[in-house]
């Protein structure tokens, strides 16, 4: 039990629930219904995300020994060589799953894996660190679009929104153990307000109904022009009607509250405990953000499925720290 808990802490199990929504929201943002290739993209995302978690603690083992001696590596519960081996194995598995989803998915997963490793091994403590983390989350979103439709470009606008949120959270996290300044949580709070407004207004491209056509003959996971137009028509039930607007507004509000409340507390009192809570709140807010992006694209059922991951993440966060 203690060994399993140590690995759960190393891999930050509650944060894992923020990952599937990347590929799901990316798929619907590109105007497609999630399918088998989307599931492969989710598997790839999960592996690459956890590879980053293991590599993060391996790279920070000396720093953690001074600031977080309770972490699995400095406490001796997991050997550094085991963490590094896990990072390598998970990266290989993630790229393999992406290859199974097709060349466009592998083309997107390769720079994603490179960004994860570059962040953990060098960029984390530089001014480029938050940008690299934002790029990784955006690439993960595009991975879902690439695997499902082969057209990641169609999801660029929503990837930018997701990346902006990640940039804000990562900037706050750089003061997680020291605290002392209100500027990062204030900036994150401002970014959250802007994103909430954009999400509530809707207007996502490629509106999609969850009952939309799966694709053109001979090209699994792709949507031709006729399929996309049919998907958009069926998506109008969610995307343009009162129920669709209500769903977008509700998810945008959930995002604003989940991220905004701890950011506000940290801005008023930038102590290490409140800064850590702000980081945790920002990470948890990724799920309603992803759900709102799916609703913005007109995929109401996908949005609800993503939102259902939030209570699971909260449940496990009571047992294992999300940061």
């Amino acid at each position: 039990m203690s060994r399993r808990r140590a690995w759960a802490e190393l891999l930050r199990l509650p944060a894992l629930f923020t990952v599937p929504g990347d590929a799901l929201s990316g798929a619907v943002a590109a105007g497609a219904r999630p399918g088998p290739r989307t599931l492969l993209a989710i598997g790839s995302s999960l592996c690459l995300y956890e590879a980053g978690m293991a590599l993060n603690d391996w790279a920070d083992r000396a720093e953690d020994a001074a600031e977080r001696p309770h972490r699995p590596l400095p406490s001796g519960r997991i050997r550094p060589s085991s963490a590094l081996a896990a990072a390598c194995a998970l990266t290989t598995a993630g790229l393999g799953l992406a290859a199974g989803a097709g060349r466009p998915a592998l083309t997107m997963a390769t720079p994603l894996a490179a960004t994860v490793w570059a962040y953990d091994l060098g960029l984390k403590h530089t001014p480029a660190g938050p940008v690299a983390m934002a790029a990784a989350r955006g690439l993960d979103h595009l991975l879902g679009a690439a695997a499902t439709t082969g057209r990641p470009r169609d999801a660029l606008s929503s990837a930018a929104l997701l990346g902006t949120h990640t940039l804000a959270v990562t900037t706050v996290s750089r003061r997680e153990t020291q605290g002392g300044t209100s500027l990062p949580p204030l900036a994150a709070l401002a970014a959250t307000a802007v994103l909430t407004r954009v999400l509530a207004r809707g207007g996502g491209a490629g509106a999609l109904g969850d009952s939309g056509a799966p694709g053109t003959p001979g090209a699994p996971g792709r949507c031709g022009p006729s399929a996309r137009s049919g998907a958009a028509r069926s998506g109008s039930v969610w995307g343009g009607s009162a129920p669709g607007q209500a769903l977008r507004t509700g998810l945008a509000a959930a995002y604003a509250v989940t991220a905004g409340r701890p950011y506000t507390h940290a801005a008023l009192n930038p102590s290490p405990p409140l800064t850590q809570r702000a980081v945790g709140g920002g990470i948890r807010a990724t799920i309603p953000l992803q759900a709102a992006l799916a609703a913005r694209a007109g995929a109401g059922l996908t949005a609800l499925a993503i939102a259902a991951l939030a209570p699971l993440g909260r449940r496990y966060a009571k047992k294992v720290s999300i940061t």
Side-chain angles (χ1 to χ4, degrees):
M1 287 293 293
S2 61
R3 185 167 180 79
R4 286 199 295 269
R5 181 177 179 83
W7 278 100
E9 291 179 15
L10 177 74
L11 299 176
R12 294 170 178 81
L13 183 61
L16 201 61
F17 293 95
T18 70
V19 178
D22 284 346
L24 289 171
S25 60
V28 298
R33 181 177 59 180
R37 294 192 179 199
T38 316
L39 294 178
L40 287 172
I42 291 173
S44 175
S45 297
L46 291 169
C47 288
L48 294 177
Y49 188 88
E50 293 294 47
M53 291 297 182
L55 186 64
N56 174 80
D57 276 29
W58 180 83
D60 285 354
R61 59 193 185 280
E63 178 183 325
D64 285 346
E67 297 182 354
R68 305 179 187 90
H70 60 281
R71 292 293 299 163
L73 267 60
S75 65
R77 289 177 292 156
I78 294 177
R79 291 177 298 180
S81 59
S82 297
L84 181 59
C88 294
L90 287 165
T91 300
T92 302
L95 292 175
L97 288 168
R103 182 178 296 177
L106 181 60
T107 301
M108 198 58 59
T110 300
L112 171 57
T115 302
V116 169
W117 278 72
Y119 174 83
D120 282 332
L121 296 183
L123 297 178
K124 182 190 310 180
H125 300 298
T126 73
V131 176
M133 183 62 78
R137 184 67 81 164
L139 286 168
D140 200 32
H141 182 75
L142 295 176
L143 174 59
T148 310
T149 71
R151 296 186 308 274
R153 186 174 300 178
D154 293 347
L156 279 174
S157 62
S158 55
L161 297 177
L162 191 58
T164 299
H165 167 74
T166 306
L167 178 66
V169 179
T170 309
T171 301
V172 175
S173 73
R174 291 166 74 87
R175 304 289 302 182
E176 187 175 357
T177 58
Q178 295 89 15
T181 175
S182 297
L183 186 58
L186 280 174
L189 190 60
T192 300
V194 173
L195 289 173
T196 300
R197 180 176 175 79
V198 173
L199 294 169
R201 289 177 61 186
L208 170 74
D210 291 281
S211 59
T216 55
R222 289 181 173 269
C223 291
S226 61
R228 285 174 62 81
S229 62
R233 285 194 297 272
S234 63
S236 64
V237 174
W238 285 103
S241 67
Q245 178 61 47
L247 181 63
R248 283 199 309 272
T249 302
L251 290 170
Y255 164 68
V257 171
T258 305
R261 182 179 297 170
Y263 286 159
T264 301
H265 292 164
L268 294 173
N269 178 12
S271 62
L274 290 182
T275 302
Q276 290 167 14
R277 291 181 188 177
V279 175
I283 294 173
R284 288 191 295 273
T286 304
I287 296 177
L289 171 58
Q290 294 161 338
L293 289 173
R296 182 172 178 262
L301 295 181
T302 300
L304 293 173
I306 295 172
L309 296 171
L312 293 173
R314 284 196 301 270
R315 175 184 175 184
Y316 283 96
K318 295 178 181 178
K319 302 178 180 179
V320 178
S321 174
I322 199 171
T323 65

